[in-house]
Amino acid sequence: MWALRSLLWSVARRTMSQGPTRRQRPPKDPLRHLRTREKRGPSWGPGGPNTVYLQVVAAGGRDAGAALYVFSEYNRYLFNCGEGVQRLMQEHKLKVARLDNIFLTRMHWANVGGLCGMILTLKETGLPKCVLSGPPQLKKYLEAIKIFSGPLKGIDLAVRPHSASEYKDETMTVHQVPIHSERWCGEHQPSQSPERPLPRLSPEQSSGSGSIENEQHLPGGNGVSWKGNGRDPSLVVAFVCKLHLKKGNFLVLKAKELGLPVGTAAIAPIIAAVKDGKSITYEGREILPEELCTAPDPGLAFIVVECPDEGFVQPICENDIFKRYQGEADTPVALVVHIAPESVLMDSRYQQWMERFGPDTQHLILNENCASVHNLRSHKIQTQLNLIHPGIFPSLTTFHSKEEGSALSVPTVRGECLLKYQLRPRREWQRDSIITCNPEEFIAEALELPNFQESVQEYRKSAQDIPAPAEKRSNYPEIIFLGTGSAIPMKIRNVSSTLVNISPEKSLLLDCGEGTFGQLCRHYGEQVDQILGNLVAVFVSHLHADHHTGLLNILLQRERALASLGKPFLPLLVVAPTQLRPWLHQYHNQCQEVLHHISMIPAKCLSQGAKVSDPVVERLIRSLLKTCDLEEFQTCLVRHCKHAFGCALVHTSGWKVVYSGDTMPCEALVQMGKDATLLIHEATLEDGLEEEAIEKTHSTTSQAIGVGMRMNAEFIMLNHFSQRYAKIPLFSPDFNEKVGIAFDHMKVCFGDFPTVPKLIPPLKALFAGDIEEMEERRERRELRLVRAALLSQEQAGSPEVREPQQKRAHMDGPQSPQSKKVKAQ
């Protein structure tokens, strides 16, 4: 008890010595807009929003895809949700919790790759309902992601098929326009491509039938199958969005001049009438609406259309719905958004179709020719880390297409991240939010930090005294940390992925979370195809979304890379829990062909003592070992979720790399990794949060270091940090010369082991403000725990507590009421 009290006073004194604490803001209510909408009621008519704009989230580049955010004061919308879109929205403060409608133009991973993570995030925010509009396969996609996400309880997901009637809300009316490629026109795409046999399906892939409704609800995971089964690459869905008419503003001063009863209850029906365009009679005089109101703002329209290739050009040009908005149309089209490659934009038919909208229509292009920096914070932190060690923290690059942009005769703007086009209150492009990446500014900011330059200089002096041993001077294996955060992609740390370059020609990935390909693009730039061409295997540790939802994009981009390099196509070896198969089969059968990309080795077949009876799997294991020059690729079950694995790679030259995946401290991993050259171990939480680590089946920093020490690992790299440690984790007393912390885009070779621990002082100087804030947060947490412990013991009233209290009361003598009050507090 006395120990608890002394700890309470010491923590309290430290807290008070830091000055008055800031008054806590009340917690934000992310769903305030929904409660406001409920209060208005279903019959409330807003008369059109005052402010509406479109904003580019992703400009169409190979690393980011194409996505649009549409804002009004009543609603928020997202058009397409590829990998990395959630990360960009979080970084640029585009509120995910306000999204109640997501529109998808095509069932392709480039458009839906980030949808799984987005849905899980929307569920966590408490959003009660989200409607997805677009291709009919969306319903099957949602069923497929439940294979690894589990039932999506707490959010009502609905699919509005492309055949549904128009959608209307407080902001606009949306018409879906299905477009079929002329290469498949008049026939439905068969569920099997003629050139490739369809693999045998597991029982989970049997399909049912049912009727189509305007919204097909998927509560908790038991959806109703419908007629649109099977993938259909011939279909894209365009969206024609028409804003509601905005009524004019009532002119109060003019009304006073005309003697109207301004400020009384009698003015309300007059305002309502003139805003509706009706004349009124007041004291025998007819007053026209234009005398009392500004002109109404007409309901402008904007169109979002994807044209993936020339096969869609003619169907788009001949579409009757588009023709209604061309020429002398009743509804002017302010903007057409084109998600289309340069080959389509250069097609004379498509150019003529664009021209038919007239000179007043603006055109926004989103494709790989749009050069734009998206992840500004990632560039900033890497530029500052590069000042410490340019080799370990190489500068990021940007990936630009070498294809020349088309010259168009219509008003055209190419997309950039955060570029806005405002529809109301006035039509205009707004560039003030566009990202500009200024490395000199980032460098100057770092150099102004207290003690930063001095700590870098001290590190460089000390590093000169420790040359790497001769056997460690090889550049291979080379470890590139592509994602070092946990759970969800954030602006500083992406989710799990580590590239191991075994040699200049061979590499493999340890986990492959969402956005892994984008990270490769930012790290390697124009060399990314070469890296993908070298990739021979991927290890997926378990089925949590932050560890495998980047795999499909890697597969698709790898096929493209091999073709551009003139290399023969071979399936990628994927070592993963067998539970990954149903997800891949479902996506393949209902959405997009992917199975020909993969040769799968069940992770359990590589565990110690496993008996492999399938000759195909035996052949694949031999191929894995031979291709990667490995003596052994071993797996073991770890303490996380069901079917979670760690792995150990033993190279023919003798080195051994062990990867924990997600786990609590695990004896099986210790035994498998004995005498490892390098252990890459998750350290999700800081010391002091052991109970939370147990609850979430993760490790704390010291627990991870302890595993490495028991393993007798030569070096330990910690990664998979909770996103609460966005820039840097809190250091524990167990840190030593064998431990380093991983950052996104960090590059480490075995020869860097003596250097990495010496980076900690300059890292602490660079992130001193963040470390101080985290330490304050820890002290407040400790203070709450001590108070709770004291309160529980005092309430218990045990003899052990009462006796010291009585002795102290006897020694101190009688207390004043004021002193009693202080002690009670």
Side-chain angles (χ1 to χ4, degrees), residues 781-798:
R781 184 181 69 243
E782 289 173 350
L783 188 58
R784 286 195 301 270
L785 290 173
V786 171
R787 282 173 174 163
L790 285 171
L791 184 62
S792 64
Q793 290 201 21
E794 287 175 357
Q795 288 175 343
S798 63

Side-chain angles (χ1 to χ4, degrees), residues 199-239:
R200 181 176 297 176
L201 304 181
S202 58
E204 295 98 307
Q205 278 79 55
S206 59
S207 58
S209 61
S211 60
I212 300 176
E213 300 177 3
N214 274 2
E215 289 184 1
Q216 300 169 25
H217 291 260
L218 305 167
N222 297 320
V224 181
S225 297
W226 72 309
K227 296 178 183 177
N229 289 329
R231 56 179 178 268
D232 185 5
S234 73
L235 174 68
V236 298
V237 180
F239 299 94

Side-chain angles (χ1 to χ4, degrees), residues 30 59 109 270 301 478 581 701:
W109 194 254
I270 296 174
E478 181 182 69
R581 274 184 178 144
T701 304

Side-chain angles (χ1 to χ4, degrees), residues 27-42:
K28 291 183 178 179
D29 181 3
L31 302 178
R32 185 177 62 248
H33 66 290
L34 294 177
R35 281 175 265 285
T36 304
R37 191 180 297 173
E38 288 169 3
K39 288 178 184 177
R40 291 198 297 253

Side-chain angles (χ1 to χ4, degrees), residues 371-431:
S372 180
V373 172
H374 293 83
N375 302 87
L376 183 65
R377 294 302 297 274
S378 187
H379 280 268
K380 176 180 178 179
I381 196 169
Q382 195 69 10
T383 301
Q384 295 177 338
L385 290 170
N386 181 261
L387 296 172
I388 299 173
H389 195 298
I392 292 176
F393 302 111
S395 297
L396 298 189
T397 183
T398 52
F399 184 91
H400 297 307
S401 174
K402 296 177 181 177
E403 198 173 5
E404 288 189 11
S406 309
L408 302 169
S409 59
V410 294
T412 305
V413 172
R414 292 193 173 267
E416 296 179 73
C417 185
L418 301 188
L419 171 69
K420 285 183 186 178
Y421 183 74
Q422 184 175 267
L423 295 163
R424 280 186 184 155
R426 61 180 179 273
R427 293 171 53 180
E428 64 179 8
W429 292 102
Q430 296 181 342
R431 299 179 173 274

Side-chain angles (χ1 to χ4, degrees), residues 314-351:
Q314 199 61 32
I316 286 174
C317 295
E318 295 175 353
N319 187 276
D320 290 334
I321 295 178
F322 291 143
K323 288 179 180 178
R324 296 178 204 163
Y325 293 89
Q326 294 174 323
E328 299 297 323
D330 294 335
T331 303
V333 176
L335 179 69
V336 181
V337 181
H338 305 268
I339 306 172
E342 293 300 320
S343 58
V344 167
L345 298 175
M346 289 189 290
D347 191 301
S348 60
R349 297 170 298 167
Y350 197 82
Q351 291 183 0

Side-chain angles (χ1 to χ4, degrees), residues 592-755:
Q592 188 180 359
E593 251 190 6
V594 293
L595 287 183
H596 67 283
H597 289 278
I598 296 174
S599 293
M600 187 166 166
I601 301 172
K604 63 183 179 182
C605 294
L606 293 170
S607 60
Q608 188 175 29
K611 294 181 180 179
V612 181
S613 57
D614 188 338
V616 174
V617 175
E618 280 187 336
R619 177 179 57 80
L620 292 175
I621 292 173
R622 288 195 299 271
S623 174
L624 172 66
L625 296 177
K626 181 180 178 182
T627 307
C628 297
D629 294 325
L630 296 176
E631 279 188 5
E632 189 177 9
F633 191 128
Q634 188 180 339
T635 63
C636 72
L637 286 168
V638 293
R639 300 172 64 202
H640 187 54
C641 61
K642 200 173 181 181
H643 312 299
F645 290 85
C647 72
L649 317 177
V650 181
H651 194 257
T652 52
S653 65
W655 57 257
K656 182 176 184 179
V657 171
V658 179
Y659 175 62
S660 71
D662 284 9
T663 184
M664 296 190 287
C666 176
E667 187 59 30
L669 186 73
V670 172
Q671 296 306 316
M672 182 179 71
K674 279 292 183 185
D675 301 319
T677 314
L678 173 64
L679 168 65
I680 302 170
H681 201 289
E682 72 117 290
T684 307
L685 296 165
E686 66 189 85
D687 289 359
L689 296 179
E690 286 77 13
E691 288 186 13
E692 185 178 342
I694 292 171
E695 180 187 337
K696 296 180 177 179
T697 60
H698 285 299
S699 297
T700 65
T701 304
S702 289
Q703 286 174 345
I705 295 171
V707 169
M709 293 301 172
R710 284 159 49 210
M711 190 184 287
N712 193 34
E714 186 176 335
F715 201 77
I716 306 161
M717 286 297 299
L718 305 179
N719 78 343
H720 194 270
F721 302 109
S722 166
Q723 298 292 6
R724 69 187 77 173
Y725 317 114
K727 293 179 182 175
I728 195 168
L730 276 174
F731 295 89
S732 82
D734 291 330
F735 266 77
N736 56 47
E737 71 282 355
K738 287 187 170 186
V739 183
I741 54 175
F743 291 83
D744 283 20
H745 302 290
M746 186 178 187
K747 181 175 72 173
V748 176
C749 303
F750 292 167
D752 295 319
F753 290 170
T755 302

Side-chain angles (χ1 to χ4, degrees), residues 399-593:
F399 184 91
H400 297 307
S401 174
K402 296 177 181 177
E403 198 173 5
E404 288 189 11
S406 309
L408 302 169
S409 59
V410 294
T412 305
V413 172
R414 292 193 173 267
E416 296 179 73
C417 185
L418 301 188
L419 171 69
K420 285 183 186 178
Y421 183 74
Q422 184 175 267
L423 295 163
R424 280 186 184 155
R426 61 180 179 273
R427 293 171 53 180
E428 64 179 8
W429 292 102
Q430 296 181 342
R431 299 179 173 274
D432 53 312
S433 298
I434 290 178
I435 291 175
T436 54
C437 187
N438 187 346
E440 289 78 16
E441 181 182 318
F442 304 152
I443 291 169
E445 182 181 321
L447 295 179
E448 290 175 2
L449 293 171
N451 302 321
F452 176 69
Q453 294 189 62
E454 294 82 353
S455 62
V456 171
Q457 289 168 2
E458 287 176 16
Y459 141 69
R460 288 179 178 166
K461 286 179 184 176
S462 65
Q464 291 172 357
D465 302 331
I466 308 178
E471 67 272 15
K472 298 289 175 63
R473 288 177 189 165
S474 171
N475 291 330
Y476 294 94
E478 181 182 69
I479 317 296
I480 312 290
F481 293 96
L482 298 172
T484 57
S486 67
I488 59 173
M490 298 290 271
K491 57 190 174 185
I492 303 294
R493 295 183 184 270
N494 201 49
V495 287
S496 295
S497 185
T498 303
L499 179 71
V500 181
N501 290 323
I502 298 170
S503 71
E505 296 83 26
K506 303 295 177 188
S507 63
L508 59 82
L509 277 169
L510 302 174
D511 275 327
C512 194
E514 179 190 335
T516 294
F517 175 71
Q519 294 288 89
L520 283 171
C521 285
R522 287 181 280 279
H523 193 91
Y524 286 104
E526 295 181 1
Q527 300 300 313
V528 69
D529 279 351
Q530 187 64 52
I531 298 301
L532 290 175
N534 293 344
L535 188 64
V536 294
V538 175
F539 170 72
V540 175
S541 62
H542 62 290
L543 259 64
H544 285 164
D546 58 320
H547 289 257
H548 76 86
T549 50
L551 176 62
L552 289 181
N553 202 24
I554 289 291
L555 297 175
L556 297 169
Q557 295 289 347
R558 177 175 173 270
E559 183 177 40
R560 170 177 168 177
L562 290 171
S564 72
L565 295 169
K567 289 186 176 183
F569 174 81
L570 291 172
L572 188 65
L573 293 166
V574 176
V575 179
T578 53
Q579 290 70 25
L580 186 66
R581 274 184 178 144
W583 150 245
L584 295 173
H585 275 269
Q586 184 90 327
Y587 187 83
H588 174 93
N589 295 331
Q590 305 297 339
C591 303
Q592 188 180 359
E593 251 190 6

